Amino acid sequence: MTDPKIPAPAGFATFGLSPASLKGVAAAGFVEPSPIQAQAIPLIMAGKDLVALAQTGTGKTAAFGLPAMSRLNPKDHSVGILVITPTRELCAQVSDELARLGQAAGIRSVPVYGGQSSWR
């Protein structure tokens, strides 16, 4: 669980993310948004569609995950976000990162791929 006394990094606070998403940012230890995050988050928060490319490890999952999670209704317990990935490994990686970022908001993430049960 995140410490509510830990403030979100200033760069992320300007994006209009939900308070729970900002707690996820702080818990993840992000200091400043990466270039992909700084460019993508405001567009996604504004409801724009986006196709973006960036190298591995630059924060792409947070770039789309944080604004998507910020837009979820915490009282709606149905599927809120569907992320499609090309491989099982990437599916697991994205699911783990979204679960970590969404923990403060009570958001759960379940990877679903062929050959495995989708229930946890």
Side-chain angles (χ1 to χ4, degrees):
M1 198 71 176
T2 60
D3 183 343
K5 297 178 208 155
I6 300 173
F12 286 94
T14 64
F15 294 142
L17 296 169
S18 69
S21 289
L22 290 174
K23 286 181 184 178
V25 167
F30 295 160
V31 177
E32 289 295 324
S34 68
I36 190 71
Q37 293 165 346
Q39 293 174 48
I41 292 173
L43 292 174
I44 297 169
M45 289 298 293
K48 306 280 185 188
D49 291 335
L50 174 71
V51 175
L53 298 171
Q55 289 186 324
T56 299
T58 57
K60 292 181 297 294
T61 301
F64 72 80
L66 289 168
M69 289 187 287
S70 287
R71 297 174 67 129
L72 291 176
N73 177 352
K75 295 179 182 176
D76 183 358
H77 298 288
S78 63
V79 174
I81 302 169
L82 175 65
V83 180
I84 300 172
T85 64
T87 66
R88 290 179 185 194
E89 292 80 11
L90 186 56
C91 177
Q93 178 184 342
V94 168
S95 179
D96 289 347
E97 182 69 5
L98 292 178
R100 183 172 71 110
L101 292 170
Q103 183 177 9
I107 293 172
R108 295 181 306 144
S109 178
V110 178
V112 179
Y113 47 84
Q116 299 292 317
S117 171
S118 62
W119 305 109
R120 285 189 178 190

